[in-house]
């Protein structure tokens, strides 16, 4: 496939998934290059911050998942409608990224005893605290359409849904946990019933 966008990431959802979701929501072709361990050792020094994800746009390389997400969201009108809305969307995306970071630490932890302890703490303290803050933010800035800010889908909504879905897929909490909060429940409906490109993608990735 010859696309103007090339995404380099590992064969995992983690920090690459938000970028894939933006492309799918926009209906834009991209090359999804899965980097495997042997390949990564060779590729690493050529990457801007020696980490993935990296987006290549022609000769230009862009690093840091949220910067890549914002760049694409601006191109595809998923960043917010004005400067203030954009900053609110960014702030929500950063809160969600903190939640994803905490979840990824657990997901990739190999030591069983530590993983069990960290999962318990995450479910009892970290997740409820962040979810309450997110819900307060949603009730202030969402307009009742199921999106975190305003009445359109933004990249922060995609970050949120991807993070909730990864937490559920890792069996940290079941999806029912999120149903106590209006935002995830409404967002899930929006994404699975109102965004055909995304519902198709989720049907494929979760099968
Ligand atoms: N803040 C960075 C974090 C990047 C990062 O830590 N990437 C990890 C994978 S999620 C990585 O490249 N690990 C391999 C390595 O450091 O060698 C981002 O959001 O892109």
């Amino acid at each position: 496939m010859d696309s103007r966008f090339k995404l380099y990431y590992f064969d995992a959802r983690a920090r690459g998934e938000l970028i894939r979701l933006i492309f799918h929501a926009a209906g834009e072709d991209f090359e999804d290059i899965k980097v495997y361990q042997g390949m990564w050792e060779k590729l690493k020094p050529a990457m801007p911050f020696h980490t993935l994800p990296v987006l290549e746009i022609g000769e230009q390389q862009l690093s840091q998942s949220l910067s890549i997400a914002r760049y694409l969201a601006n191109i595809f009108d998923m960043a917010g409608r004005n400067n203030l809305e954009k900053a609110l969307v960014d702030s929500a995306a950063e809160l969600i990224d903190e939640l994803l970071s905490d979840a990824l630490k657990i997901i990739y932890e190999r030591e069983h005893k530590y993983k069990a302890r960290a999962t318990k703490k995450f479910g009892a303290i970290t997740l409820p605290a962040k979810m309450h803050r997110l819900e307060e933010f949603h009730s202030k800035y969402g307009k009742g359409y199921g999106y975190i800010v305003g009445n359109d889908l933004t990249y922060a909504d995609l970050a949120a849904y991807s993070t909730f879905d990864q937490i559920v897929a890792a069996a940290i909490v079941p999806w029912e946990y999120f149903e106590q909060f209006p935002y995830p429940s409404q967002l899930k409906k929006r994404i699975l019933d109102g965004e055909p490109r995304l519902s198709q993608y989720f049907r494929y990735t979760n099968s």
Side-chain angles (χ1 to χ4, degrees), residues 9-10 14-15 40 44 50-53 64-66 97 104:
Y9 195 61
F10 302 105
R15 292 191 178 283
W40 175 230
K44 188 171 166 124
H50 296 194
T51 58
L52 296 180
Q64 293 288 2
S65 55
L66 287 184
D97 190 63
L104 291 178

Side-chain angles (χ1 to χ4, degrees), residues 24-36:
H24 284 285
E28 178 78 26
D29 274 347
F30 70 108
E31 222 176 303
D32 194 1
I33 299 167
K34 303 268 165 72
V35 176
Y36 294 92

Side-chain angles (χ1 to χ4, degrees), residues 26 43 61 69 103 110 115 147 175-176 181 197 200-201 207:
L43 208 60
Q61 289 178 319
R110 286 179 186 188
K115 189 175 178 120
Y147 302 122
W175 177 262
E176 289 67 35
F181 302 101
R197 290 187 195 116
Q200 203 182 348
Y201 177 69
S207 60

